[in-house]
Amino acid sequence: MAQQYPETNTNAAGESSKVSIVGGGLVGSLLALHLGQKGYQVHLHEYRDDIRTTELIGGRSINLALSARGRKALAEVGLEEVVLEHGIPMRGRMLHDLNGNRRIVPYDKTKNQCIYSVGRKHLNEILLNAAERYPNIHLKFNQKLVDMNIEDNQMTFINPQTKETNDETTDLIIGCDGAFSAVRRHMITRTGFDFSQTYIEHGYLELCIPPTETGDFAMPHNYLHIWPRGKFMMIALPNQDKSWTVTLFMPFENFDMLKNAKDLLEFFGKYFSDAVNLIGTERLIKDFFKIKPQSLVMIKCRPYHISDKVLLMGDAAHAMVPFYGQGMNAGFEDCSILSDILERARSRDISEAIREFSSKRWRDAFAICDLAMYNYVEMRDLVNRRSFLWRKSLDDFLFWLMPNTWVPLYNTVSFSHMPYSKCIVNREWQNKILSRSVMIAGSAAMAAAAGIITKFMWYN
């Protein structure tokens, strides 16, 4: 069957509406599909080479965990099943203690829901290939944004390789160009634009567990593996080629203490002894000292728009630390939300749709940024505590007993489409219920004990 292309979406002047997306990564390429299917003339500008023709560069890319919000956005452009064919389901956390013993903590005992480990490069390739099939989506690589006139909707790009420049005029500029967004840089000087940037004292460094000699996974592969060590941790996500992407998160001061191979092997022997044989001593040394630890940053800003001229989405609007696995999912959900608003606003001016997105989204973006920061503490430390395991068991039981009433925090974030801010409100409500229940139970126990003591004294 021949592919059906959308009708052209026109602006107020009756001309074809032109949207220029800066950033051809995951969010930018998915947004191009959402807008292209609505008939916009989409011009996607990417600073790098076409990722489909380049080799994957290791050391700077944390593996991705695809969950419900991202799946919905992919389904809306017909790509969910294509991506899931490549993804590897992870049904829970597998915790490694200092002695190499492992304990499984399922994500969802009641409904057996899971998240999927997906490769960043492969997913980006799927999105770009799909976008390329639309005649109204134009892919432009090696395009670095160097200047932007917001009032006139004009941008200037330079080719980093040839140094050639070109100017482009558009109806709408959308910045999907990451945490250090060039588009956002031109918005920061505007009156009323709030911006905060927070670096945490911890960095990350990528390692790799290769397949076994027989070509199999070296560990049970349907789990996110975690080595929680209090102030730092290591995680591993499975890849399609049976390898594991391993990421060590640790304070920079700890990284600085590991100056040579001897220091490194002593450190791993003490804290990650079971991982040394999995990685291999030579590979561990080579990969560890191959590249410096990378920084982790959280960015919050608002509003996400300027009139009907510019809009920020994805990490350009709300970069977060990776510990809830929601960076990509939140960016993909941006695409879903804007797409839905535009669908309902087809007869309205686009500026109204942009304002609605900006007004609707920032509170939830702030919420998931905060949740991601909290989850680092949970993953590296709290998962080893009895209080955490007790609460996890209680949440699972109450979720099983009342699946429509008591939904645990992780489930609302990863397996639902509940706004992130409401996920926090829901958790706070649960905490209040449990606190009151404990107080009531404690009061009842004290009253019962007092009655027994009084009765004992009466008879004696």
Side-chain angles (χ1 to χ4, degrees), residues 36-50:
Q37 289 187 352
K38 287 178 167 50
Y40 291 92
Q41 286 291 328
V42 180
H43 291 249
L44 184 64
H45 300 264
E46 169 54 41
Y47 167 66
R48 304 166 298 177
D49 289 327
D50 187 341

Side-chain angles (χ1 to χ4, degrees), residues 69 326 330 333 361 364 367-368 418-424:
R69 299 170 197 268
Q326 287 297 303
E333 189 175 55
R361 190 58 172 159
D364 293 322
I368 189 56
M418 180 186 293
Y420 290 121
S421 57
K422 290 188 177 180
C423 294
I424 294 177

Side-chain angles (χ1 to χ4, degrees), residues 10-31:
T10 58
N11 58 25
E15 302 166 337
S16 179
S17 296
K18 180 179 179 181
V19 178
S20 295
I21 299 173
V22 180
L26 299 176
V27 175
S29 52
L30 178 60
L31 179 61

Side-chain angles (χ1 to χ4, degrees), residues 4 9 18 45 63 65 119 140 152 182 220 252-253 296 306 334 339 344 348 357-358 363 367 379 421 448:
Q4 298 296 313
N9 193 306
K18 180 179 179 181
H45 300 264
N63 258 40
K140 302 177 181 181
D152 296 332
F252 282 106
E253 62 181 9
L296 293 165
I306 295 177
D334 286 351
S339 182
R344 292 185 283 103
R348 297 184 297 166
F357 173 86
S358 186
R363 289 182 181 83
M379 292 175 72
S421 57

Side-chain angles (χ1 to χ4, degrees), residues 203-221:
Y204 74 93
L205 189 145
E206 278 198 358
L207 305 168
C208 177
I209 295 176
T212 64
E213 293 182 357
T214 58
D216 295 325
F217 283 106
M219 303 182 292
H221 65 279

